[in-house]
Amino acid sequence: MEPNLPDVVLWSIPAFVLLTVLEMVSYRLHPDDEAAGYDAKDAATSVTMGLGSLAFDLLWKIPVVAIYAALYELTPLRVPVLWWTVLLMLLAQDFLYYWSHRGHHVIRILWACHVVHHSSRKFNLTTALRQPWTSLTSWPFYLPLIALGVHPAALAFCSSANLVYQFWVHTERIDKLPRPFEYVLNTPSHHRVHHASQGGYLDRNFGGILIVWDRLFGSFAAETERPVFGLTKNITTHNPFRVATHEYAAIARDVRAAATWGERAGRVFRGPGWQPSRTAGAATTPAAPVQQRAATSPAVQQRAATEQAG
């Protein structure tokens, strides 16, 4: 029997609207010259991307639900939906979300989906709504939960709860929280680092609800300097279709220009901005000071090259 669980995203929409309005008003009443703040066109693009993602997600859910349902019928395991098992499901889903999120940063074809969420140079509550239209890339990461007997509807509830939690961390209006919260939870401070484009902040803090996964697996970075939001090479468009597809177009161009099948595979499945060895920088260059290396690290240079091509 299908679990009777609430649609947490639907129930949260009034809170999303209210909190966004309050954040906008707060910038009017108490401006912060150092904060990225709001831009009308940017906010409109984020909202459009969010509405579009709702429509496209309905399409992508058809094959995903079919696969999950088939696997659920095949496995002999069953996890009952009780208050304490739901808590364990939330924990397990958050763990798998960490690896999905990390994978979407280090594999270029997955990054082509996720880059949408990082494409704004602003960081406010509307940024949380800037979601991809090609989210079909996440479902394989959660197959272990279905194989262990978690009902697909329970997984959908946990994924929605994770998404709703992450709404409030997209803000500059909240400084650091007390240390116990900062140590365990994903907070606005941690997520500002995740959206920053500086070398020392790049590809850090992948946690959804909990930040402990980043601490355990070496991807944590504390907020020490003011983040610069956006991509290492920002796109200059508010066209939602270009925002949704620009990295896929860049991949297609790179694959067409590749000289070998190995290079073609690398352009798709290696990290964003990966370059074949023949174009790699000289390895014998003397080491730069730590601060300079952070600003010009290979990850930053390579990703900038790819995004510039896009």
Side-chain angles (χ1 to χ4, degrees), residues 282-294 296:
T284 57
T285 304
V290 172
Q291 186 176 6
Q292 184 179 347
R293 288 204 305 274
T296 59

Side-chain angles (χ1 to χ4, degrees), residues 37-143:
Y38 273 85
D39 172 81
K41 289 184 178 180
D42 181 85
T45 301
S46 295
V47 172
T48 301
M49 297 306 299
L51 293 174
S53 74
L54 293 176
F56 280 102
D57 281 351
L58 290 176
L59 176 64
W60 306 136
K61 280 179 181 177
I62 296 172
V64 171
V65 169
I67 293 170
Y68 282 172
L71 180 59
Y72 184 74
E73 290 302 318
L74 289 172
T75 180
L77 303 175
R78 290 293 182 267
V79 177
V81 179
L82 307 169
W83 71 265
W84 63 271
T85 59
V86 169
L87 292 178
L88 292 177
M89 291 178 203
L90 283 167
L91 182 66
Q93 189 276 336
D94 194 55
F95 174 74
L96 295 176
Y97 172 86
Y98 168 85
W99 290 108
S100 172
H101 195 180
R102 188 166 181 169
H104 279 71
H105 274 252
V106 301
I107 299 172
R108 190 181 180 193
I109 191 63
L110 302 185
W111 172 245
C113 165
H114 186 61
V115 68
V116 170
H117 186 60
H118 287 262
S119 60
S120 175
R121 300 176 69 177
K122 304 296 182 180
F123 190 75
N124 53 58
L125 292 177
T126 65
T127 308
L129 306 178
R130 187 176 286 227
Q131 296 294 324
W133 293 357
T134 56
S135 55
L136 192 62
T137 56
S138 298
W139 67 268
F141 291 90
Y142 302 103
L143 286 174

Side-chain angles (χ1 to χ4, degrees), residues 256-267:
R256 284 198 301 268
T260 66
W261 283 106
E263 182 182 346
R264 292 185 185 98
R267 296 294 190 184

